[in-house]
Amino acid sequence: MLIRSRRGWEIPEAQITPEHVFLNRRAFMTGSAGLLAAAAMPAGLRSAFAEADPSADLYPAAVNDMYEGGRPLTPEAISSTYNNFYEFGSHKRIAKAAQKLKIRPWTVTFDGLVEEERTVDVDTLLRAMPLEERIYRHRCVEAWAMTVPWTGFPLKAMVDYAKPLSDAKYVRFETFLDRKMASGQKQGWYPWPYVEGLTMAEATNELTLMVTGAYGKPLAKQFGAPLRLHTPWKYGFKSIKSIVRISFVAERPVGFWEEVQGREYGFWANVNPEVSHPRWSQATEELIGTGERVPTVIYNGYGEFVADLYKDMDGERLFM
Ligand code: MTE
């Protein structure tokens, strides 16, 4: 049995939310709280969420309770209507526009420094991967946060599947490019398609999750269906959505936001309350839907999993 000491993000006694405020997570997803959340959604969105998905039978996946979130879950009606997905608009209310995203057929190409390049149908991929549910905290660089039950599989399983060569140092992820479907991509001043990258050590860390579902169902389009990344110790812009290409490369990839404004957004983007964004403090974060602000924790509280990755990296801008 794996015995773990109290995790970095476990909240001190004084800050613990009274028990009655916590929602039982299963009741939340299937019971009255879930129904209330669904009822709060606009009718158009509700029916779009109900759209048949060929992977629906894979959900809900087995819960991995090593990852519990440590905070009340953010209701789906809140998290699924407050999104960043610039392909569908540069504001938070993109959920309706994102329903234009066509998520089948969908393929993922593995290329670059791999034994053999290949393009795989997403449903073949999903069925080859060990799906599980984990509750993770998500911290956006804009100082808001949410806690979501994601379903997915460790990126490490997909790295093994892709068979990279030993000279691969980084993984580069790319989102779809389709200006007709995603009107945000008509905005020529952005460097489309959205790109992000991780080192091989980050990509194969046990926390790094490829997300395929949330709240016990296939991923809603506005969350970045059918396949997105989640690196909970990093600012949310690293968690690239709707991935179509995964390349193994020798050079450090330049991410979308780093390319837009390298003075404000970097490659590492690890959460740190002590290092301000050039235009705002990162000391606290707002829990969306509650109006509550809480202190931010270094590595978003996941230091026990990842702090070692960044030892002896003097001179690197690890926290922006
Ligand atoms: N991925 C793509 N392709 N396009 C985006 O605009 N926004 C990022 C990230 N992934 C973004 C993206 C940012 S800034 C954040 S905070 C998260 O997605 C938001 O995820 P959410 O909408 O599921 O909360």
PDB file of all heavy atoms in Angstrom, residues 225-236:
ATOM      1  N   ALA A 225     -12.589  19.312 -26.246  1.00  0.00           N
ATOM      2  CA  ALA A 225     -12.790  17.946 -26.753  1.00  0.00           C
ATOM      3  C   ALA A 225     -12.078  17.784 -28.096  1.00  0.00           C
ATOM      4  O   ALA A 225     -11.851  18.766 -28.786  1.00  0.00           O
ATOM      5  CB  ALA A 225     -14.298  17.701 -26.930  1.00  0.00           C
ATOM      6  N   PRO A 226     -11.728  16.559 -28.495  1.00  0.00           N
ATOM      7  CA  PRO A 226     -11.896  15.345 -27.712  1.00  0.00           C
ATOM      8  C   PRO A 226     -10.681  15.012 -26.840  1.00  0.00           C
ATOM      9  O   PRO A 226     -10.738  14.072 -26.067  1.00  0.00           O
ATOM     10  CB  PRO A 226     -12.082  14.266 -28.791  1.00  0.00           C
ATOM     11  CG  PRO A 226     -11.252  14.758 -29.940  1.00  0.00           C
ATOM     12  CD  PRO A 226     -11.333  16.272 -29.896  1.00  0.00           C
ATOM     13  N   LEU A 227      -9.621  15.829 -26.938  1.00  0.00           N
ATOM     14  CA  LEU A 227      -8.382  15.487 -26.231  1.00  0.00           C
ATOM     15  C   LEU A 227      -7.653  16.767 -25.846  1.00  0.00           C
ATOM     16  O   LEU A 227      -7.318  17.572 -26.711  1.00  0.00           O
ATOM     17  CB  LEU A 227      -7.495  14.687 -27.207  1.00  0.00           C
ATOM     18  CG  LEU A 227      -6.281  13.971 -26.657  1.00  0.00           C
ATOM     19  CD1 LEU A 227      -6.709  12.858 -25.706  1.00  0.00           C
ATOM     20  CD2 LEU A 227      -5.457  13.393 -27.798  1.00  0.00           C
ATOM     21  N   ARG A 228      -7.443  16.979 -24.549  1.00  0.00           N
ATOM     22  CA  ARG A 228      -6.672  18.141 -24.099  1.00  0.00           C
ATOM     23  C   ARG A 228      -5.658  17.700 -23.056  1.00  0.00           C
ATOM     24  O   ARG A 228      -5.743  16.587 -22.528  1.00  0.00           O
ATOM     25  CB  ARG A 228      -7.583  19.212 -23.513  1.00  0.00           C
ATOM     26  CG  ARG A 228      -8.045  18.868 -22.119  1.00  0.00           C
ATOM     27  CD  ARG A 228      -8.858  19.948 -21.484  1.00  0.00           C
ATOM     28  NE  ARG A 228      -8.054  21.036 -20.958  1.00  0.00           N
ATOM     29  CZ  ARG A 228      -8.581  22.105 -20.363  1.00  0.00           C
ATOM     30  NH1 ARG A 228      -9.889  22.221 -20.248  1.00  0.00           N
ATOM     31  NH2 ARG A 228      -7.814  23.048 -19.884  1.00  0.00           N
ATOM     32  N   LEU A 229      -4.733  18.601 -22.780  1.00  0.00           N
ATOM     33  CA  LEU A 229      -3.713  18.335 -21.774  1.00  0.00           C
ATOM     34  C   LEU A 229      -4.158  18.922 -20.432  1.00  0.00           C
ATOM     35  O   LEU A 229      -4.915  19.888 -20.410  1.00  0.00           O
ATOM     36  CB  LEU A 229      -2.436  19.023 -22.247  1.00  0.00           C
ATOM     37  CG  LEU A 229      -1.183  18.896 -21.404  1.00  0.00           C
ATOM     38  CD1 LEU A 229      -0.680  17.453 -21.395  1.00  0.00           C
ATOM     39  CD2 LEU A 229      -0.090  19.812 -21.966  1.00  0.00           C
ATOM     40  N   HIS A 230      -3.691  18.345 -19.326  1.00  0.00           N
ATOM     41  CA  HIS A 230      -3.819  19.045 -18.040  1.00  0.00           C
ATOM     42  C   HIS A 230      -2.565  18.851 -17.198  1.00  0.00           C
ATOM     43  O   HIS A 230      -2.200  17.730 -16.860  1.00  0.00           O
ATOM     44  CB  HIS A 230      -5.061  18.606 -17.262  1.00  0.00           C
ATOM     45  CG  HIS A 230      -5.470  19.653 -16.274  1.00  0.00           C
ATOM     46  ND1 HIS A 230      -5.027  19.670 -14.979  1.00  0.00           N
ATOM     47  CD2 HIS A 230      -6.209  20.771 -16.430  1.00  0.00           C
ATOM     48  CE1 HIS A 230      -5.515  20.750 -14.371  1.00  0.00           C
ATOM     49  NE2 HIS A 230      -6.223  21.430 -15.230  1.00  0.00           N
ATOM     50  N   THR A 231      -1.920  19.982 -16.901  1.00  0.00           N
ATOM     51  CA  THR A 231      -0.716  19.990 -16.054  1.00  0.00           C
ATOM     52  C   THR A 231      -1.055  20.881 -14.863  1.00  0.00           C
ATOM     53  O   THR A 231      -0.864  22.094 -14.918  1.00  0.00           O
ATOM     54  CB  THR A 231       0.488  20.572 -16.836  1.00  0.00           C
ATOM     55  OG1 THR A 231       0.075  21.776 -17.502  1.00  0.00           O
ATOM     56  CG2 THR A 231       1.001  19.598 -17.875  1.00  0.00           C
ATOM     57  N   PRO A 232      -1.582  20.298 -13.770  1.00  0.00           N
ATOM     58  CA  PRO A 232      -2.206  21.119 -12.734  1.00  0.00           C
ATOM     59  C   PRO A 232      -1.250  21.989 -11.933  1.00  0.00           C
ATOM     60  O   PRO A 232      -1.705  22.871 -11.212  1.00  0.00           O
ATOM     61  CB  PRO A 232      -2.882  20.074 -11.833  1.00  0.00           C
ATOM     62  CG  PRO A 232      -2.124  18.821 -12.052  1.00  0.00           C
ATOM     63  CD  PRO A 232      -1.694  18.861 -13.495  1.00  0.00           C
ATOM     64  N   TRP A 233       0.062  21.770 -12.062  1.00  0.00           N
ATOM     65  CA  TRP A 233       1.002  22.618 -11.315  1.00  0.00           C
ATOM     66  C   TRP A 233       1.424  23.840 -12.128  1.00  0.00           C
ATOM     67  O   TRP A 233       2.175  24.678 -11.667  1.00  0.00           O
ATOM     68  CB  TRP A 233       2.228  21.817 -10.898  1.00  0.00           C
ATOM     69  CG  TRP A 233       3.194  21.435 -11.992  1.00  0.00           C
ATOM     70  CD1 TRP A 233       4.366  22.077 -12.307  1.00  0.00           C
ATOM     71  CD2 TRP A 233       3.109  20.326 -12.903  1.00  0.00           C
ATOM     72  NE1 TRP A 233       5.006  21.436 -13.343  1.00  0.00           N
ATOM     73  CE2 TRP A 233       4.260  20.357 -13.725  1.00  0.00           C
ATOM     74  CE3 TRP A 233       2.169  19.300 -13.103  1.00  0.00           C
ATOM     75  CZ2 TRP A 233       4.498  19.412 -14.733  1.00  0.00           C
ATOM     76  CZ3 TRP A 233       2.407  18.365 -14.105  1.00  0.00           C
ATOM     77  CH2 TRP A 233       3.541  18.420 -14.903  1.00  0.00           C
ATOM     78  N   LYS A 234       0.941  23.913 -13.345  1.00  0.00           N
ATOM     79  CA  LYS A 234       1.306  25.024 -14.231  1.00  0.00           C
ATOM     80  C   LYS A 234       0.092  25.904 -14.476  1.00  0.00           C
ATOM     81  O   LYS A 234      -1.055  25.458 -14.343  1.00  0.00           O
ATOM     82  CB  LYS A 234       1.789  24.476 -15.575  1.00  0.00           C
ATOM     83  CG  LYS A 234       3.115  23.745 -15.487  1.00  0.00           C
ATOM     84  CD  LYS A 234       3.519  23.216 -16.848  1.00  0.00           C
ATOM     85  CE  LYS A 234       4.870  22.531 -16.789  1.00  0.00           C
ATOM     86  NZ  LYS A 234       5.990  23.478 -16.684  1.00  0.00           N
ATOM     87  N   TYR A 235       0.325  27.132 -14.890  1.00  0.00           N
ATOM     88  CA  TYR A 235      -0.785  27.997 -15.273  1.00  0.00           C
ATOM     89  C   TYR A 235      -1.556  27.345 -16.422  1.00  0.00           C
ATOM     90  O   TYR A 235      -0.984  26.629 -17.262  1.00  0.00           O
ATOM     91  CB  TYR A 235      -0.269  29.390 -15.647  1.00  0.00           C
ATOM     92  CG  TYR A 235       0.273  30.128 -14.438  1.00  0.00           C
ATOM     93  CD1 TYR A 235       1.591  30.560 -14.368  1.00  0.00           C
ATOM     94  CD2 TYR A 235      -0.556  30.369 -13.348  1.00  0.00           C
ATOM     95  CE1 TYR A 235       2.085  31.217 -13.247  1.00  0.00           C
ATOM     96  CE2 TYR A 235      -0.071  31.024 -12.205  1.00  0.00           C
ATOM     97  CZ  TYR A 235       1.237  31.438 -12.163  1.00  0.00           C
ATOM     98  OH  TYR A 235       1.707  32.071 -11.038  1.00  0.00           O
ATOM     99  N   GLY A 236      -2.870  27.629 -16.416  1.00  0.00           N
ATOM    100  CA  GLY A 236      -3.786  26.925 -17.309  1.00  0.00           C
ATOM    101  C   GLY A 236      -3.481  27.050 -18.785  1.00  0.00           C
ATOM    102  O   GLY A 236      -3.905  26.195 -19.570  1.00  0.00           O
TER     103      GLY A 236
END
